[in-house]
Amino acid sequence: MNKTNRVLAFTIAVIWRVLYGWAHYPELPARMATHWGFNNQVNGWMPKAMAVYGIPVLMTLLQLLLVGITRLNANHKGEAVRFERLLYAIMPTITVILYFTTIQANLGSDIDIRRVAIIVVAMMFMGMGNYLPTVPAGYNRTLNGMHKAAADPRTWPRVARAMGYTMVGGSLLMIASLFAPPMVSVAALAIAVVLLLAVSWWGYRLSVRQG
């Protein structure tokens, strides 16, 4: 088994370890809450079987897709190892946190869903912001297709650094919003996304001018 397959097998095993819902299956309601607004009010439900077993299935499929996009489409394998490890860890981490949160909330635990969701998104921004500048230009065919600057060694280092700083700054803004009313978290997330899109557009225009 090569390294990619070992990593894939391990991360999928982590995803399926969250079948902790199976142990509490009789205690869970037949119609489970699975989505909340920023005010912690439920606005989405699923049948129990779909929530308990369907979420790990969905996360497994997303993990397979993620590995395919990052590793199998790499033009130069081994050039962005730290970034790849981070990406492989995202889906299991999200699954463990959100799955346990969903089960506990449906068992009656008082959980601030807004804070959990913001922490998860902030962690993703922080991790990717730190490691994106280590990704070399032209590294991945999918990334190259999504962003013109990613294929250009003249512009990508600047663009990657700018996007990295923006993502880290956005994550800190989101974390700070946890100590404020829910709408501040909404605003912080929106600001982080808009700034990231603006930097991405700047990078695209820069690569066009360079080209």
Side-chain angles (χ1 to χ4, degrees):
M1 182 181 290
N2 62 36
K3 186 174 180 180
T4 299
N5 290 338
R6 287 198 302 272
V7 171
L8 182 59
F10 174 75
T11 54
I12 289 177
V14 171
I15 290 173
W16 279 92
R17 283 182 65 84
V18 302
L19 282 180
Y20 147 83
W22 175 80
H24 294 278
Y25 199 84
E27 307 163 50
L28 293 167
R31 188 166 177 255
M32 289 178 57
T34 54
H35 193 273
W36 291 260
F38 274 92
N39 58 359
N40 283 326
Q41 296 299 309
V42 181
N43 56 18
W45 294 264
M46 279 186 186
K48 178 163 58 174
M50 185 179 294
V52 172
Y53 301 113
I55 292 175
V57 170
L58 174 62
M59 291 302 186
T60 299
L61 294 176
L62 290 175
Q63 181 73 347
L64 290 169
L65 178 63
L66 186 63
V67 171
I69 289 174
T70 57
R71 186 65 178 172
L72 303 181
N73 278 350
N75 290 319
H76 308 290
K77 292 179 172 61
E79 290 191 358
V81 174
R82 289 183 294 174
F83 186 70
E84 288 177 358
R85 287 175 181 167
L86 171 71
L87 290 180
Y88 294 162
I90 285 176
M91 207 59 65
T93 302
I94 292 175
T95 304
V96 168
I97 295 173
L98 297 187
Y99 188 89
F100 273 80
T101 299
T102 299
I103 298 300
Q104 282 299 312
N106 280 275
L107 289 173
S109 297
D110 186 16
I111 298 176
D112 192 327
I113 302 296
R114 185 259 304 196
R115 284 192 166 91
V116 173
I118 288 295
I119 288 171
V120 169
V121 176
M123 286 170 54
M124 290 174 55
F125 269 59
M126 180 68 75
M128 294 186 70
N130 271 286
Y131 287 109
L132 187 61
T134 69
V135 177
Y139 152 71
N140 188 281
R141 289 189 292 274
T142 302
L143 186 61
N144 297 346
M146 291 172 60
H147 204 296
K148 181 178 175 64
D152 190 341
R154 297 170 299 174
T155 58
W156 178 243
R158 290 175 59 190
V159 175
R161 282 195 301 273
M163 293 178 73
Y165 288 136
T166 302
M167 295 184 83
V168 171
S171 72
L172 295 175
L173 184 63
M174 284 184 271
I175 290 170
S177 77
L178 297 175
F179 303 97
M183 286 309 299
V184 177
S185 292
V186 176
L189 178 58
I191 290 170
V193 171
V194 169
L195 288 176
L196 184 59
L197 290 174
V199 172
S200 180
W201 175 249
W202 165 78
Y204 171 78
R205 296 301 305 167
L206 182 65
S207 64
V208 169
R209 289 198 299 271
Q210 290 286 344

